[in-house]
Amino acid sequence: RVICILEDAIDKLRTLITALTPPELTDGLLLALHRLAQAVFVVDPFVTVTVTGQDHVSLSPSRKLNVCRILREGLVNARKHARASHIWLTLTEADGIVTAVLRDDGVGASDLDPRPGHLGMATMHGRAAAEDGHLEVITAPGEGSTLVLTVPTDLPPAAQPGRIEEP
Protein backbone atom coordinates (compact mmCIF):
# COMPACT_ATOMS: atom_id res chain seq x y z
CA ARG A 1 0.00 0.00 0.00
CA VAL A 2 2.85 2.38 0.86
CA ILE A 3 4.59 1.59 -2.43
CA CYS A 4 1.42 2.49 -4.37
CA ILE A 5 1.09 5.76 -2.48
CA LEU A 6 4.74 6.63 -3.16
CA GLU A 7 4.48 5.75 -6.87
CA ASP A 8 1.39 7.94 -7.17
CA ALA A 9 3.17 10.79 -5.37
CA ILE A 10 6.19 10.44 -7.67
CA ASP A 11 3.95 10.58 -10.78
CA LYS A 12 2.23 13.72 -9.50
CA LEU A 13 5.56 15.31 -8.58
CA ARG A 14 6.87 14.66 -12.11
CA THR A 15 3.80 16.33 -13.58
CA LEU A 16 4.19 19.33 -11.27
CA ILE A 17 7.87 19.64 -12.23
CA THR A 18 6.76 19.65 -15.87
CA ALA A 19 4.41 22.53 -15.03
CA LEU A 20 7.40 24.51 -13.72
CA THR A 21 9.59 24.01 -16.79
CA PRO A 22 9.35 26.46 -19.71
CA PRO A 23 6.47 25.45 -21.98
CA GLU A 24 6.86 24.27 -25.54
CA LEU A 25 5.48 27.16 -27.60
CA THR A 26 6.07 25.97 -31.18
CA ASP A 27 2.54 24.57 -31.46
CA GLY A 28 1.00 27.79 -30.22
CA LEU A 29 0.33 29.53 -26.94
CA LEU A 30 -3.12 27.99 -26.53
CA LEU A 31 -1.80 24.42 -26.62
CA ALA A 32 0.97 25.38 -24.20
CA LEU A 33 -1.62 26.83 -21.81
CA HIS A 34 -3.78 23.71 -22.16
CA ARG A 35 -0.82 21.48 -21.25
CA LEU A 36 0.06 23.77 -18.37
CA ALA A 37 -3.48 23.67 -16.97
CA GLN A 38 -3.51 19.87 -17.20
CA ALA A 39 -0.22 19.69 -15.30
CA VAL A 40 -1.31 22.12 -12.58
CA PHE A 41 -4.58 20.29 -11.96
CA VAL A 42 -3.24 16.73 -12.17
CA VAL A 43 -3.38 16.62 -8.37
CA ASP A 44 -7.08 17.56 -8.39
CA PRO A 45 -8.96 15.33 -10.83
CA PHE A 46 -12.34 16.68 -9.66
CA VAL A 47 -11.77 20.07 -11.29
CA THR A 48 -12.77 20.49 -14.93
CA VAL A 49 -10.51 22.81 -16.90
CA THR A 50 -11.70 24.23 -20.24
CA VAL A 51 -9.18 26.02 -22.45
CA THR A 52 -10.47 27.82 -25.56
CA GLY A 53 -9.44 30.53 -27.98
CA GLN A 54 -6.98 31.23 -30.75
CA ASP A 55 -4.18 28.72 -31.29
CA HIS A 56 -1.62 31.33 -32.25
CA VAL A 57 -1.31 34.96 -31.18
CA SER A 58 1.06 37.71 -32.31
CA LEU A 59 3.48 37.73 -29.40
CA SER A 60 7.22 37.20 -29.37
CA PRO A 61 8.47 34.00 -27.74
CA SER A 62 9.68 35.89 -24.66
CA ARG A 63 6.33 37.63 -24.23
CA LYS A 64 4.48 34.31 -24.67
CA LEU A 65 6.70 32.83 -21.98
CA ASN A 66 5.81 35.63 -19.55
CA VAL A 67 2.10 35.22 -20.34
CA CYS A 68 2.50 31.52 -19.49
CA ARG A 69 4.25 32.38 -16.23
CA ILE A 70 1.51 34.79 -15.21
CA LEU A 71 -1.23 32.30 -16.04
CA ARG A 72 0.63 29.45 -14.34
CA GLU A 73 0.57 31.46 -11.11
CA GLY A 74 -3.12 32.18 -11.64
CA LEU A 75 -3.85 28.49 -12.20
CA VAL A 76 -1.85 27.51 -9.11
CA ASN A 77 -3.71 30.12 -7.06
CA ALA A 78 -7.02 28.74 -8.32
CA ARG A 79 -5.95 25.20 -7.40
CA LYS A 80 -4.78 26.21 -3.93
CA HIS A 81 -7.45 28.70 -2.91
CA ALA A 82 -10.57 28.68 -5.10
CA ARG A 83 -12.10 25.31 -4.22
CA ALA A 84 -13.57 25.47 -7.71
CA SER A 85 -15.20 22.71 -9.69
CA HIS A 86 -14.59 24.40 -13.05
CA ILE A 87 -11.83 26.61 -14.44
CA TRP A 88 -12.12 28.41 -17.79
CA LEU A 89 -9.14 29.84 -19.66
CA THR A 90 -9.72 31.82 -22.85
CA LEU A 91 -7.10 33.34 -25.15
CA THR A 92 -8.02 35.90 -27.83
CA GLU A 93 -6.37 38.55 -29.98
CA ALA A 94 -8.07 41.63 -31.37
CA ASP A 95 -7.00 45.14 -32.32
CA GLY A 96 -3.37 44.64 -31.33
CA ILE A 97 -4.18 43.24 -27.88
CA VAL A 98 -3.90 39.66 -26.64
CA THR A 99 -6.34 38.93 -23.82
CA ALA A 100 -6.22 35.93 -21.53
CA VAL A 101 -9.16 35.41 -19.16
CA LEU A 102 -8.87 32.88 -16.33
CA ARG A 103 -12.15 32.35 -14.48
CA ASP A 104 -13.25 29.93 -11.77
CA ASP A 105 -16.51 29.07 -10.05
CA GLY A 106 -14.86 28.90 -6.65
CA VAL A 107 -15.34 30.60 -3.32
CA GLY A 108 -13.92 33.99 -4.32
CA ALA A 109 -12.29 36.33 -1.83
CA SER A 110 -13.14 39.47 0.08
CA ASP A 111 -9.72 41.00 -0.61
CA LEU A 112 -6.50 40.22 -2.40
CA ASP A 113 -4.10 41.67 0.16
CA PRO A 114 -1.06 39.41 0.22
CA ARG A 115 -0.16 37.65 3.42
CA PRO A 116 3.50 37.59 4.50
CA GLY A 117 5.48 35.23 2.31
CA HIS A 118 2.87 35.25 -0.50
CA LEU A 119 4.29 37.00 -3.56
CA GLY A 120 2.15 35.49 -6.32
CA MET A 121 -0.14 38.44 -7.02
CA ALA A 122 2.69 40.97 -6.85
CA THR A 123 4.78 38.83 -9.21
CA MET A 124 1.90 38.48 -11.68
CA HIS A 125 1.29 42.25 -11.70
CA GLY A 126 5.01 42.91 -12.09
CA ARG A 127 5.34 40.52 -15.03
CA ALA A 128 2.29 42.05 -16.73
CA ALA A 129 3.71 45.57 -16.29
CA ALA A 130 7.08 44.43 -17.65
CA GLU A 131 5.28 43.39 -20.85
CA ASP A 132 3.44 46.74 -21.10
CA GLY A 133 0.33 44.81 -20.15
CA HIS A 134 -2.33 45.02 -17.50
CA LEU A 135 -3.64 42.48 -15.01
CA GLU A 136 -7.01 42.82 -13.34
CA VAL A 137 -8.42 40.40 -10.78
CA ILE A 138 -12.12 40.51 -10.03
CA THR A 139 -13.39 38.53 -7.07
CA ALA A 140 -16.00 38.54 -4.34
CA PRO A 141 -16.96 36.02 -1.66
CA GLY A 142 -19.10 33.28 -3.18
CA GLU A 143 -18.65 34.70 -6.70
CA GLY A 144 -15.49 32.97 -7.88
CA SER A 145 -12.60 34.89 -9.37
CA THR A 146 -11.71 36.24 -12.79
CA LEU A 147 -8.21 37.20 -13.87
CA VAL A 148 -7.97 39.33 -17.02
CA LEU A 149 -4.53 39.76 -18.58
CA THR A 150 -4.09 42.10 -21.55
CA VAL A 151 -0.80 42.39 -23.42
CA PRO A 152 -0.11 44.36 -26.60
CA THR A 153 1.02 42.39 -29.61
CA ASP A 154 4.64 42.97 -30.46
CA LEU A 155 5.15 41.46 -33.88
CA PRO A 156 5.10 43.65 -36.99
CA PRO A 157 1.88 43.33 -39.04
CA ALA A 158 3.62 41.31 -41.79
CA ALA A 159 4.64 38.68 -39.23
CA GLN A 160 1.19 38.34 -37.69
CA PRO A 161 -0.67 35.16 -38.68
CA GLY A 162 -3.63 35.73 -40.97
CA ARG A 163 -2.56 39.26 -41.86
CA ILE A 164 -2.20 40.31 -45.49
CA GLU A 165 -0.46 43.57 -46.18
CA GLU A 166 -2.12 45.71 -48.78
CA PRO A 167 0.06 47.53 -51.34
Side-chain angles (χ1 to χ4, degrees):
R1 182 174 173 258
V2 171
I3 290 172
C4 289
I5 292 170
L6 287 173
E7 286 175 345
D8 185 52
I10 289 169
D11 287 342
K12 288 179 180 175
L13 182 59
R14 282 187 178 131
T15 303
L16 289 173
I17 289 169
T18 300
L20 295 174
T21 59
E24 175 58 49
L25 297 168
T26 55
D27 293 326
L29 182 57
L30 188 70
L31 183 57
L33 292 171
H34 181 73
R35 289 177 180 150
L36 177 62
Q38 286 179 319
V40 168
F41 282 93
V42 71
V43 296
D44 197 345
F46 302 109
V47 176
T48 302
V49 180
T50 303
V51 180
T52 58
Q54 295 172 246
D55 291 335
H56 297 277
V57 292
S58 305
L59 297 175
S60 67
S62 64
R63 196 165 269 183
K64 286 178 188 176
L65 183 58
N66 272 330
V67 167
C68 279
R69 288 177 174 156
I70 292 165
L71 293 171
R72 176 180 56 217
E73 183 66 29
L75 288 163
V76 168
N77 284 346
R79 189 192 78 230
K80 286 181 176 180
H81 307 294
R83 291 182 279 180
S85 61
H86 204 126
I87 307 286
W88 296 268
L89 177 55
T90 305
L91 182 69
T92 58
E93 178 181 345
D95 301 321
I97 301 290
V98 172
T99 303
V101 178
L102 178 61
R103 184 170 58 92
D104 68 63
D105 64 355
V107 297
S110 58
D111 67 63
L112 296 173
D113 292 335
R115 296 185 310 268
H118 292 265
L119 302 173
M121 291 301 294
T123 301
M124 289 173 19
H125 283 283
R127 285 186 195 276
E131 297 299 341
D132 297 321
H134 178 73
L135 179 70
E136 180 180 11
V137 181
I138 304 150
T139 186
E143 300 288 323
S145 297
T146 302
L147 180 149
V148 181
L149 172 64
T150 55
V151 180
T153 59
D154 57 354
L155 297 179
Q160 294 179 7
R163 284 275 185 101
I164 299 173
E165 283 212 28
E166 298 196 21

